[in-house]
Amino acid sequence: CSNGGGGDGSLKRGFPNHPLLTSSGSPLASATSTAAPALLVVGTYFVPFLLPILPRSSSSDDHLVIGELCVVSPCVQVDLDALKGTHLGMYEQRNVTVLVEAGESASEVVAAEAYFVHTSYAKA
């Protein structure tokens, strides 16, 4: 997760980097899904990552990613950026819109941030 934001697959509950969030004291704000299509891919060594759906791809609701919305401190944000290699161009942090369940039949739209694998990898 990122500051007021989404995260990527490896930070989700049940995946390798989730303990970093729990040990940092970053509270889980809510379960969410992306409002726009994206792909969560599990790659080599069980490393999941988010890919944007490129314009030539389907925009079906089947590609909404379920995740968690967390709130992290600026200090934890710096650690997550280092982990994700944003300074190396491995991942890029993007603004996303997520849907937070707000009742039995309603969802609240929330602005968040998530780590996506770098665009050059998504095109490969």
Side-chain angles (χ1 to χ4, degrees):
C1 299
S2 57
N3 192 14
D8 83 334
S10 72
L11 296 169
K12 285 178 65 167
R13 205 176 318 200
F15 283 96
N17 292 324
H18 184 72
L20 296 173
L21 291 174
T22 55
S23 68
S24 72
S26 299
L28 173 64
S30 181
T32 64
S33 71
T34 57
L39 294 174
L40 178 63
V41 177
V42 179
T44 309
Y45 306 111
F46 195 59
V47 175
F49 51 89
L50 285 171
L51 285 171
I53 292 190
L54 301 175
R56 68 178 183 275
S57 301
S58 166
S59 62
S60 164
D61 284 347
D62 293 343
H63 296 294
L64 299 182
V65 177
I66 305 298
E68 297 98 20
L69 182 67
C70 297
V71 178
V72 299
S73 70
C75 181
V76 172
Q77 181 68 57
V78 168
D79 292 343
L80 292 176
D81 285 348
L83 171 73
K84 292 302 184 184
T86 56
H87 63 291
L88 300 172
M90 295 169 56
Y91 284 83
E92 50 194 21
Q93 198 170 32
R94 294 181 173 202
N95 294 327
V96 295
T97 302
V98 296
L99 303 173
V100 177
E101 195 172 302
E104 289 184 27
S105 61
S107 294
E108 181 181 350
V109 176
V110 176
E113 295 175 335
Y115 291 101
F116 283 79
V117 73
H118 191 271
T119 309
S120 63
Y121 187 81
K123 294 177 184 176

